[in-house]
Amino acid sequence: MEVITIGTKNQIVIPKGVRSKIKGLIPGAKVIIKSLDNQTITIKKVSDNWIERTSGMMTKAWQGIDAPKEVNKIKNEWEEKLQDLEKNK
């Protein structure tokens, strides 16, 4: 663990020893900073890989929902709308 000082503009410098351990952490790289509680923060490098970045992001949104059932419901709604359009031609 290393101790750093917050600058006058509330900026921090990630120590070289830490930067060298994180592949791709170079000037211009994006990081995510997150407050875990009132005394703890984390800094995580944003992945360059879209699949890694988005993996699991909808887990909470779909929690408790039967996904195949919902997809079939939407499919059936679209089929009904399509049939209605064909009837009204």
Coordinates of all heavy atoms in Angstrom, one line a residue:
M1 N 0.9 -1.2 0.0 CA 0.0 0.0 0.0 C 0.9 1.2 0.0 O 1.9 1.3 0.7 CB -0.9 0.0 1.2 CG -1.7 1.2 1.3 SD -3.0 1.4 2.6 CE -2.6 0.2 3.8
E2 N 0.5 2.2 -0.8 CA 1.3 3.5 -0.8 C 0.3 4.6 -0.4 O -0.9 4.6 -0.6 CB 1.7 3.7 -2.3 CG 2.7 2.6 -2.7 CD 3.6 3.1 -3.9 OE1 3.9 4.2 -3.9 OE2 3.9 2.2 -4.7
V3 N 0.9 5.6 0.2 CA 0.2 6.8 0.7 C 0.5 7.9 -0.3 O 1.7 8.1 -0.7 CB 0.7 7.2 2.1 CG1 0.0 8.5 2.5 CG2 0.4 6.1 3.1
I4 N -0.5 8.6 -0.8 CA -0.4 9.7 -1.7 C -1.1 10.9 -1.1 O -1.8 10.8 -0.2 CB -1.0 9.4 -3.1 CG1 -2.5 9.1 -3.0 CG2 -0.3 8.2 -3.7 CD1 -3.2 8.9 -4.3
T5 N -0.7 12.1 -1.7 CA -1.3 13.3 -1.2 C -2.2 13.9 -2.2 O -1.9 13.9 -3.4 CB -0.2 14.4 -0.9 OG1 0.7 13.8 0.1 CG2 -0.8 15.7 -0.3
I6 N -3.4 14.4 -1.8 CA -4.3 15.0 -2.8 C -3.8 16.5 -3.0 O -3.5 17.2 -2.0 CB -5.7 15.1 -2.2 CG1 -6.2 13.6 -2.1 CG2 -6.7 15.9 -3.1 CD1 -7.6 13.5 -1.4
G7 N -3.7 16.8 -4.3 CA -3.1 18.2 -4.6 C -4.1 19.3 -4.3 O -5.3 19.0 -4.0
T8 N -3.7 20.5 -4.6 CA -4.6 21.7 -4.3 C -5.8 21.7 -5.2 O -6.8 22.4 -4.9 CB -3.7 23.0 -4.5 OG1 -3.2 23.0 -5.8 CG2 -2.6 23.1 -3.5
K9 N -5.7 21.0 -6.3 CA -6.9 21.0 -7.3 C -7.6 19.7 -7.1 O -8.3 19.2 -8.0 CB -6.4 21.2 -8.7 CG -5.8 22.5 -9.0 CD -5.5 22.7 -10.4 CE -4.9 24.1 -10.7 NZ -4.5 24.2 -12.1
N10 N -7.5 19.0 -6.0 CA -8.1 17.7 -5.6 C -7.7 16.6 -6.6 O -8.5 15.7 -6.9 CB -9.6 17.9 -5.6 CG -10.1 18.7 -4.3 OD1 -9.5 18.5 -3.3 ND2 -10.9 19.6 -4.5
Q11 N -6.5 16.7 -7.1 CA -6.0 15.7 -8.1 C -5.1 14.7 -7.3 O -4.5 15.1 -6.3 CB -5.3 16.3 -9.2 CG -6.2 17.2 -10.1 CD -5.4 17.9 -11.2 OE1 -4.3 18.3 -11.0 NE2 -6.0 18.0 -12.4
I12 N -5.0 13.5 -7.8 CA -4.1 12.5 -7.2 C -3.2 12.0 -8.3 O -3.6 12.0 -9.5 CB -4.8 11.4 -6.5 CG1 -5.7 10.5 -7.5 CG2 -5.7 11.8 -5.4 CD1 -6.2 9.3 -7.0
V13 N -2.0 11.5 -8.0 CA -1.1 10.9 -8.9 C -1.0 9.4 -8.4 O -0.7 9.1 -7.3 CB 0.3 11.6 -8.8 CG1 1.3 10.8 -9.7 CG2 0.2 13.0 -9.3
I14 N -1.2 8.5 -9.4 CA -1.1 7.1 -9.1 C 0.4 6.8 -9.1 O 1.1 7.0 -10.1 CB -1.9 6.2 -10.1 CG1 -3.3 6.6 -10.1 CG2 -1.7 4.8 -9.8 CD1 -4.2 6.0 -11.2
P15 N 0.9 6.3 -8.0 CA 2.4 6.0 -7.9 C 2.9 5.1 -9.0 O 2.1 4.2 -9.5 CB 2.6 5.4 -6.6 CG 1.4 5.8 -5.8 CD 0.3 5.9 -6.8
K16 N 4.1 5.3 -9.5 CA 4.7 4.5 -10.6 C 4.7 3.0 -10.3 O 4.4 2.2 -11.1 CB 6.1 5.0 -10.8 CG 6.8 4.3 -12.0 CD 8.2 4.9 -12.3 CE 8.8 4.1 -13.5 NZ 10.1 4.7 -13.8
G17 N 4.9 2.7 -9.0 CA 4.9 1.3 -8.7 C 3.6 0.6 -8.9 O 3.5 -0.6 -9.3
V18 N 2.5 1.3 -8.6 CA 1.2 0.8 -8.8 C 0.8 0.8 -10.3 O 0.3 -0.1 -10.9 CB 0.1 1.7 -8.1 CG1 -1.3 1.3 -8.4 CG2 0.4 1.6 -6.6
R19 N 1.2 1.9 -11.0 CA 0.9 2.0 -12.5 C 1.6 0.9 -13.2 O 1.0 0.4 -14.2 CB 1.4 3.4 -13.0 CG 0.6 4.6 -12.6 CD 0.9 5.8 -13.4 NE 2.3 6.0 -13.7 CZ 3.1 6.8 -12.9 NH1 2.6 7.4 -11.9 NH2 4.4 6.9 -13.3
S20 N 2.8 0.6 -12.9 CA 3.5 -0.5 -13.6 C 2.9 -1.8 -13.4 O 3.1 -2.7 -14.3 CB 5.0 -0.5 -13.2 OG 5.1 -0.9 -11.8
K21 N 2.1 -2.1 -12.4 CA 1.5 -3.4 -12.2 C 0.2 -3.5 -13.0 O -0.3 -4.6 -13.2 CB 1.2 -3.6 -10.7 CG 2.4 -3.7 -9.8 CD 2.0 -3.8 -8.4 CE 3.3 -3.9 -7.5 NZ 2.9 -4.0 -6.1
I22 N -0.4 -2.4 -13.5 CA -1.6 -2.5 -14.2 C -1.3 -2.3 -15.7 O -0.9 -1.2 -16.1 CB -2.6 -1.3 -13.7 CG1 -2.8 -1.4 -12.2 CG2 -3.9 -1.4 -14.4 CD1 -3.4 -2.6 -11.6
K23 N -1.6 -3.3 -16.4 CA -1.3 -3.3 -17.9 C -2.2 -2.3 -18.6 O -3.4 -2.2 -18.3 CB -1.5 -4.7 -18.5 CG -1.2 -4.8 -19.9 CD -1.5 -6.2 -20.5 CE -1.3 -6.2 -22.0 NZ -1.6 -7.5 -22.5
G24 N -1.6 -1.4 -19.4 CA -2.4 -0.4 -20.1 C -2.7 0.8 -19.4 O -3.4 1.7 -19.9
L25 N -2.2 1.0 -18.2 CA -2.5 2.2 -17.4 C -1.5 3.2 -17.8 O -0.4 3.4 -17.2 CB -2.5 1.9 -15.9 CG -3.1 3.0 -15.0 CD1 -4.5 3.2 -15.4 CD2 -3.0 2.5 -13.5
I26 N -1.8 4.0 -18.8 CA -0.9 5.0 -19.4 C -1.6 6.3 -19.5 O -2.8 6.4 -19.3 CB -0.4 4.5 -20.8 CG1 -1.6 4.3 -21.7 CG2 0.4 3.2 -20.7 CD1 -1.3 4.0 -23.2
P27 N -0.8 7.4 -19.8 CA -1.5 8.7 -19.9 C -2.6 8.6 -21.0 O -2.5 8.1 -22.0 CB -0.4 9.6 -20.4 CG 0.9 9.0 -19.8 CD 0.6 7.5 -19.9
G28 N -3.8 9.1 -20.6 CA -5.0 9.1 -21.5 C -5.9 7.9 -21.2 O -7.0 7.8 -21.7
A29 N -5.4 6.9 -20.5 CA -6.2 5.7 -20.2 C -7.4 6.1 -19.3 O -7.2 7.1 -18.5 CB -5.4 4.6 -19.5
K30 N -8.5 5.5 -19.4 CA -9.7 5.8 -18.6 C -9.7 4.9 -17.4 O -9.4 3.7 -17.4 CB -11.0 5.6 -19.4 CG -11.1 6.4 -20.6 CD -11.3 7.9 -20.3 CE -11.5 8.7 -21.6 NZ -11.4 10.1 -21.4
V31 N -10.1 5.5 -16.2 CA -10.3 4.7 -15.0 C -11.7 5.1 -14.4 O -12.2 6.1 -14.7 CB -9.2 5.0 -14.0 CG1 -7.8 4.5 -14.5 CG2 -9.1 6.4 -13.6
I32 N -12.2 4.1 -13.6 CA -13.4 4.4 -12.9 C -13.1 4.5 -11.4 O -12.3 3.7 -10.9 CB -14.4 3.1 -13.1 CG1 -14.7 3.0 -14.5 CG2 -15.6 3.3 -12.2 CD1 -15.4 1.6 -14.8
I33 N -13.6 5.5 -10.8 CA -13.4 5.7 -9.4 C -14.7 5.6 -8.7 O -15.7 6.1 -9.2 CB -12.7 7.1 -9.1 CG1 -12.3 7.1 -7.6 CG2 -13.5 8.2 -9.5 CD1 -11.3 8.2 -7.2
K34 N -14.7 4.8 -7.6 CA -16.0 4.5 -7.0 C -15.8 4.6 -5.4 O -14.8 4.2 -4.9 CB -16.5 3.1 -7.3 CG -17.8 2.7 -6.8 CD -18.2 1.3 -7.2 CE -19.5 0.9 -6.7 NZ -19.9 -0.4 -7.1
S35 N -16.8 5.3 -4.8 CA -16.8 5.4 -3.3 C -17.5 4.1 -2.8 O -18.7 3.9 -3.1 CB -17.5 6.6 -2.9 OG -17.7 6.6 -1.5
L36 N -16.8 3.4 -2.0 CA -17.4 2.2 -1.3 C -18.1 2.5 0.0 O -19.1 2.0 0.3 CB -16.4 1.1 -1.1 CG -15.6 0.6 -2.3 CD1 -14.6 -0.5 -1.9 CD2 -16.6 0.0 -3.3
D37 N -17.5 3.5 0.7 CA -18.2 4.0 1.9 C -17.6 5.4 2.2 O -16.9 5.9 1.3 CB -18.0 3.0 3.1 CG -16.5 2.7 3.4 OD1 -15.7 3.6 3.3 OD2 -16.2 1.5 3.7
N38 N -17.7 5.9 3.3 CA -17.3 7.3 3.6 C -15.7 7.4 3.8 O -15.2 8.5 4.0 CB -18.0 7.9 4.7 CG -17.8 7.3 6.0 OD1 -17.1 6.2 6.1 ND2 -18.3 7.8 7.1
Q39 N -15.0 6.3 3.7 CA -13.6 6.3 3.9 C -12.8 5.5 2.8 O -11.6 5.4 2.9 CB -13.2 5.8 5.3 CG -13.6 6.7 6.4 CD -13.0 6.3 7.7 OE1 -12.6 5.1 7.9 NE2 -12.9 7.2 8.6
T40 N -13.5 4.8 1.9 CA -12.9 3.9 1.0 C -13.3 4.2 -0.4 O -14.5 4.3 -0.7 CB -13.3 2.4 1.3 OG1 -13.1 2.2 2.7 CG2 -12.5 1.4 0.5
I41 N -12.3 4.2 -1.3 CA -12.5 4.4 -2.8 C -11.8 3.3 -3.5 O -10.8 2.8 -3.0 CB -12.1 5.8 -3.3 CG1 -10.6 6.0 -3.1 CG2 -13.0 6.9 -2.7 CD1 -10.1 7.3 -3.8
T42 N -12.2 3.0 -4.7 CA -11.5 2.1 -5.6 C -11.3 2.8 -6.9 O -12.1 3.6 -7.3 CB -12.3 0.8 -5.8 OG1 -13.5 1.1 -6.5 CG2 -12.6 0.0 -4.6
I43 N -10.2 2.4 -7.5 CA -9.9 2.9 -8.9 C -9.7 1.7 -9.7 O -8.9 0.8 -9.4 CB -8.6 3.8 -8.9 CG1 -8.8 5.0 -8.0 CG2 -8.3 4.2 -10.3 CD1 -7.6 5.8 -7.8
K44 N -10.4 1.6 -10.8 CA -10.3 0.5 -11.7 C -10.1 0.9 -13.2 O -10.8 1.9 -13.6 CB -11.6 -0.3 -11.6 CG -11.7 -1.6 -12.5 CD -13.0 -2.3 -12.3 CE -13.0 -3.6 -13.2 NZ -14.2 -4.3 -13.1
K45 N -9.2 0.3 -13.9 CA -9.0 0.7 -15.3 C -10.2 0.2 -16.1 O -10.7 -0.9 -15.9 CB -7.7 0.0 -15.8 CG -7.4 0.3 -17.2 CD -6.2 -0.5 -17.7 CE -5.9 -0.3 -19.1 NZ -6.9 -1.0 -20.0
V46 N -10.6 1.1 -17.0 CA -11.7 0.8 -17.9 C -11.1 -0.2 -18.9 O -10.1 0.1 -19.6 CB -12.3 2.0 -18.6 CG1 -13.3 1.6 -19.6 CG2 -12.9 2.9 -17.6
S47 N -11.8 -1.3 -19.1 CA -11.3 -2.3 -20.1 C -11.4 -1.8 -21.5 O -12.3 -1.1 -21.9 CB -12.1 -3.6 -20.0 OG -11.8 -4.5 -21.0
D48 N -10.4 -2.1 -22.3 CA -10.5 -1.8 -23.8 C -11.4 -2.7 -24.5 O -11.8 -2.4 -25.6 CB -9.1 -1.9 -24.4 CG -8.1 -0.9 -23.7 OD1 -8.6 0.2 -23.3 OD2 -6.9 -1.2 -23.7
N49 N -11.7 -3.8 -23.9 CA -12.6 -4.8 -24.5 C -14.0 -4.6 -24.2 O -14.5 -4.6 -23.1 CB -12.1 -6.2 -24.0 CG -12.9 -7.4 -24.7 OD1 -14.0 -7.3 -25.0 ND2 -12.2 -8.5 -24.9
W50 N -14.8 -4.3 -25.3 CA -16.3 -4.0 -25.1 C -17.0 -5.2 -24.4 O -17.8 -4.9 -23.5 CB -16.9 -3.8 -26.4 CG -18.4 -3.4 -26.3 CD1 -18.9 -2.2 -26.0 CD2 -19.5 -4.3 -26.5 NE1 -20.3 -2.3 -26.0 CE2 -20.6 -3.6 -26.3 CE3 -19.6 -5.7 -26.8 CZ2 -21.9 -4.1 -26.4 CZ3 -20.8 -6.2 -26.8 CH2 -22.0 -5.5 -26.6
I51 N -16.7 -6.4 -24.7 CA -17.3 -7.5 -24.0 C -17.0 -7.5 -22.5 O -18.0 -7.7 -21.7 CB -16.9 -8.9 -24.7 CG1 -17.5 -8.9 -26.2 CG2 -17.4 -10.1 -23.9 CD1 -17.0 -10.1 -27.0
E52 N -15.8 -7.3 -22.2 CA -15.4 -7.3 -20.7 C -16.1 -6.1 -20.0 O -16.6 -6.3 -18.9 CB -13.9 -7.2 -20.6 CG -13.2 -8.4 -20.9 CD -11.7 -8.2 -20.8 OE1 -11.2 -7.2 -20.2 OE2 -10.9 -9.1 -21.2
R53 N -16.2 -5.0 -20.7 CA -16.8 -3.8 -20.1 C -18.3 -4.0 -19.8 O -18.8 -3.5 -18.9 CB -16.6 -2.6 -21.0 CG -15.4 -1.8 -20.8 CD -15.4 -0.4 -21.4 NE -16.2 -0.2 -22.6 CZ -15.8 -0.3 -23.8 NH1 -14.5 -0.6 -24.1 NH2 -16.6 -0.1 -24.8
T54 N -19.0 -4.6 -20.7 CA -20.4 -4.7 -20.6 C -20.9 -6.1 -20.0 O -22.1 -6.2 -19.8 CB -21.1 -4.6 -22.0 OG1 -20.6 -5.6 -22.9 CG2 -20.8 -3.2 -22.6
S55 N -20.0 -7.0 -19.8 CA -20.4 -8.3 -19.3 C -21.1 -8.1 -17.9 O -20.6 -7.5 -17.0 CB -19.2 -9.2 -19.1 OG -19.6 -10.4 -18.5
G56 N -22.3 -8.6 -17.8 CA -23.0 -8.6 -16.5 C -23.7 -7.3 -16.2 O -24.3 -7.2 -15.1
M57 N -23.7 -6.3 -17.1 CA -24.3 -5.0 -16.7 C -25.8 -5.1 -16.5 O -26.4 -4.2 -15.9 CB -23.8 -4.0 -17.7 CG -24.4 -4.1 -19.1 SD -23.7 -2.9 -20.2 CE -24.3 -1.4 -19.7
M58 N -26.5 -6.0 -17.1 CA -27.9 -6.1 -17.0 C -28.4 -7.1 -16.0 O -29.6 -7.4 -15.9 CB -28.5 -6.3 -18.4 CG -28.3 -5.2 -19.4 SD -29.0 -3.6 -18.8 CE -30.8 -4.0 -18.9
T59 N -27.5 -7.7 -15.3 CA -27.8 -8.7 -14.3 C -28.9 -8.3 -13.3 O -29.9 -9.0 -13.1 CB -26.6 -9.2 -13.5 OG1 -25.6 -9.6 -14.5 CG2 -26.9 -10.3 -12.6
K60 N -28.7 -7.1 -12.8 CA -29.7 -6.6 -11.8 C -31.0 -6.2 -12.5 O -32.1 -6.5 -11.9 CB -29.1 -5.4 -11.1 CG -28.1 -5.7 -10.1 CD -27.6 -4.5 -9.3 CE -26.5 -4.8 -8.4 NZ -26.0 -3.6 -7.7
A61 N -31.0 -5.7 -13.7 CA -32.2 -5.3 -14.4 C -33.1 -6.5 -14.7 O -34.3 -6.4 -14.7 CB -31.8 -4.6 -15.7
W62 N -32.5 -7.6 -15.0 CA -33.2 -8.8 -15.3 C -33.5 -9.8 -14.1 O -34.1 -10.8 -14.2 CB -32.5 -9.6 -16.4 CG -32.7 -9.0 -17.8 CD1 -31.9 -8.1 -18.4 CD2 -33.8 -9.1 -18.6 NE1 -32.4 -7.7 -19.6 CE2 -33.6 -8.3 -19.8 CE3 -35.0 -9.9 -18.6 CZ2 -34.5 -8.3 -20.8 CZ3 -35.9 -9.9 -19.7 CH2 -35.6 -9.0 -20.8
Q63 N -33.0 -9.4 -12.9 CA -33.2 -10.2 -11.7 C -34.7 -10.4 -11.4 O -35.5 -9.5 -11.4 CB -32.5 -9.5 -10.6 CG -32.2 -10.4 -9.4 CD -31.3 -9.7 -8.4 OE1 -31.2 -8.5 -8.3 NE2 -30.5 -10.5 -7.7
G64 N -35.0 -11.7 -11.3 CA -36.4 -12.0 -11.0 C -37.3 -12.0 -12.2 O -38.5 -12.2 -12.0
I65 N -36.8 -11.9 -13.4 CA -37.6 -11.9 -14.6 C -37.2 -13.1 -15.4 O -36.1 -13.4 -15.6 CB -37.4 -10.6 -15.4 CG1 -37.8 -9.4 -14.6 CG2 -38.1 -10.7 -16.8 CD1 -37.5 -8.1 -15.3
D66 N -38.2 -13.8 -15.9 CA -38.0 -15.0 -16.8 C -37.8 -14.4 -18.2 O -38.7 -14.1 -18.9 CB -39.2 -15.9 -16.7 CG -39.1 -17.1 -17.5 OD1 -38.1 -17.3 -18.2 OD2 -40.0 -18.0 -17.5
A67 N -36.5 -14.3 -18.6 CA -36.1 -13.7 -19.8 C -36.7 -14.4 -21.0 O -37.3 -13.7 -21.9 CB -34.6 -13.6 -20.0
P68 N -36.7 -15.7 -21.2 CA -37.3 -16.3 -22.4 C -38.8 -16.0 -22.4 O -39.3 -15.8 -23.5 CB -37.1 -17.8 -22.2 CG -35.8 -17.9 -21.3 CD -35.9 -16.7 -20.4
K69 N -39.5 -16.0 -21.3 CA -40.9 -15.7 -21.3 C -41.2 -14.3 -21.8 O -42.1 -14.0 -22.6 CB -41.4 -15.9 -19.9 CG -42.9 -15.6 -19.7 CD -43.4 -15.9 -18.3 CE -44.8 -15.6 -18.1 NZ -45.3 -15.8 -16.7
E70 N -40.3 -13.3 -21.3 CA -40.5 -11.9 -21.7 C -40.2 -11.7 -23.2 O -40.9 -11.0 -23.9 CB -39.6 -11.0 -20.9 CG -40.0 -10.8 -19.5 CD -41.3 -10.1 -19.4 OE1 -41.6 -9.1 -20.1 OE2 -42.2 -10.6 -18.6
V71 N -39.2 -12.4 -23.7 CA -38.9 -12.3 -25.1 C -40.0 -12.9 -26.0 O -40.4 -12.3 -27.0 CB -37.5 -13.0 -25.5 CG1 -37.3 -13.2 -27.0 CG2 -36.4 -12.3 -24.8
N72 N -40.6 -14.0 -25.6 CA -41.7 -14.6 -26.3 C -42.9 -13.7 -26.2 O -43.7 -13.5 -27.2 CB -42.1 -16.0 -25.7 CG -41.1 -17.0 -26.2 OD1 -40.5 -16.9 -27.3 ND2 -40.9 -18.1 -25.4
K73 N -43.1 -13.0 -25.1 CA -44.2 -12.1 -25.0 C -44.1 -10.9 -26.0 O -45.1 -10.6 -26.7 CB -44.3 -11.5 -23.5 CG -45.3 -10.5 -23.3 CD -45.2 -10.0 -21.8 CE -46.1 -8.8 -21.6 NZ -45.9 -8.2 -20.3
I74 N -42.9 -10.4 -26.1 CA -42.7 -9.3 -27.0 C -42.8 -9.8 -28.5 O -43.4 -9.1 -29.3 CB -41.3 -8.7 -26.8 CG1 -41.2 -8.0 -25.4 CG2 -40.9 -7.7 -27.9 CD1 -39.8 -7.6 -25.0
K75 N -42.3 -11.0 -28.7 CA -42.4 -11.6 -30.1 C -43.9 -11.7 -30.5 O -44.3 -11.4 -31.6 CB -41.7 -12.9 -30.1 CG -41.8 -13.6 -31.4 CD -41.1 -15.0 -31.3 CE -41.5 -15.8 -32.5 NZ -41.3 -17.3 -32.3
N76 N -44.7 -12.2 -29.5 CA -46.1 -12.4 -29.8 C -46.8 -11.1 -30.0 O -47.7 -11.0 -30.9 CB -46.8 -13.2 -28.6 CG -46.3 -14.6 -28.6 OD1 -45.8 -15.2 -29.5 ND2 -46.4 -15.2 -27.4
E77 N -46.4 -10.0 -29.3 CA -47.0 -8.7 -29.5 C -46.7 -8.2 -30.9 O -47.6 -7.7 -31.6 CB -46.5 -7.7 -28.4 CG -47.0 -8.0 -27.0 CD -46.4 -7.1 -26.0 OE1 -45.5 -6.2 -26.4 OE2 -46.7 -7.3 -24.8
W78 N -45.5 -8.4 -31.3 CA -45.1 -7.9 -32.7 C -45.8 -8.7 -33.8 O -46.2 -8.2 -34.8 CB -43.6 -8.0 -32.9 CG -42.9 -6.8 -32.3 CD1 -42.4 -6.7 -31.1 CD2 -42.7 -5.6 -32.9 NE1 -41.9 -5.4 -30.9 CE2 -42.1 -4.7 -32.0 CE3 -43.1 -5.0 -34.2 CZ2 -41.7 -3.4 -32.3 CZ3 -42.7 -3.7 -34.5 CH2 -42.1 -2.9 -33.6
E79 N -46.0 -10.0 -33.5 CA -46.7 -10.8 -34.5 C -48.2 -10.4 -34.6 O -48.7 -10.3 -35.7 CB -46.6 -12.3 -34.1 CG -45.2 -12.9 -34.4 CD -45.1 -14.3 -34.0 OE1 -46.0 -14.9 -33.4 OE2 -44.0 -14.9 -34.3
E80 N -48.8 -10.1 -33.5 CA -50.2 -9.6 -33.5 C -50.3 -8.3 -34.2 O -51.2 -8.0 -35.0 CB -50.7 -9.4 -32.0 CG -50.9 -10.7 -31.3 CD -51.3 -10.5 -29.9 OE1 -51.6 -9.4 -29.5 OE2 -51.3 -11.5 -29.1
K81 N -49.3 -7.3 -34.0 CA -49.3 -6.1 -34.7 C -49.2 -6.2 -36.2 O -49.8 -5.6 -37.0 CB -48.2 -5.1 -34.1 CG -48.5 -4.6 -32.7 CD -47.4 -3.8 -32.2 CE -47.7 -3.3 -30.8 NZ -46.7 -2.4 -30.2
L82 N -48.3 -7.2 -36.6 CA -48.1 -7.4 -38.0 C -49.4 -8.0 -38.6 O -49.7 -7.6 -39.7 CB -46.9 -8.4 -38.1 CG -46.5 -8.7 -39.6 CD1 -46.0 -7.4 -40.3 CD2 -45.4 -9.7 -39.6
Q83 N -50.0 -8.9 -37.9 CA -51.3 -9.4 -38.4 C -52.3 -8.3 -38.6 O -53.1 -8.3 -39.6 CB -51.8 -10.6 -37.5 CG -51.0 -11.8 -37.6 CD -51.4 -12.9 -36.6 OE1 -52.3 -12.6 -35.8 NE2 -50.7 -14.0 -36.6
D84 N -52.4 -7.4 -37.6 CA -53.4 -6.3 -37.7 C -53.1 -5.4 -38.9 O -54.0 -5.0 -39.5 CB -53.3 -5.5 -36.4 CG -54.0 -6.2 -35.2 OD1 -54.7 -7.2 -35.4 OD2 -53.7 -5.8 -34.0
L85 N -51.8 -5.2 -39.1 CA -51.4 -4.3 -40.3 C -51.8 -5.0 -41.6 O -52.3 -4.3 -42.5 CB -49.9 -4.1 -40.2 CG -49.4 -3.1 -39.2 CD1 -47.9 -3.0 -39.2 CD2 -50.0 -1.7 -39.5
E86 N -51.6 -6.3 -41.6 CA -52.0 -7.0 -42.9 C -53.5 -7.1 -43.1 O -54.0 -7.0 -44.2 CB -51.4 -8.4 -42.8 CG -49.9 -8.4 -42.8 CD -49.2 -9.6 -43.4 OE1 -49.9 -10.5 -43.9 OE2 -48.0 -9.6 -43.4
K87 N -54.3 -7.1 -42.0 CA -55.7 -7.1 -42.1 C -56.2 -5.8 -42.6 O -57.2 -5.7 -43.3 CB -56.4 -7.4 -40.8 CG -56.3 -8.8 -40.3 CD -57.0 -9.0 -39.0 CE -56.8 -10.4 -38.4 NZ -57.4 -10.5 -37.1
N88 N -55.6 -4.7 -42.2 CA -56.0 -3.3 -42.5 C -55.5 -2.8 -43.9 O -55.7 -1.7 -44.2 CB -55.6 -2.4 -41.4 CG -56.3 -2.7 -40.1 OD1 -57.4 -3.1 -40.1 ND2 -55.6 -2.4 -39.0
K89 N -54.8 -3.7 -44.6 CA -54.3 -3.2 -45.9 C -55.5 -3.1 -46.9 O -56.4 -3.7 -47.0 CB -53.3 -4.3 -46.5 CG -52.0 -4.1 -45.9 CD -51.0 -5.0 -46.7 CE -49.6 -4.8 -46.2 NZ -48.7 -5.7 -46.9

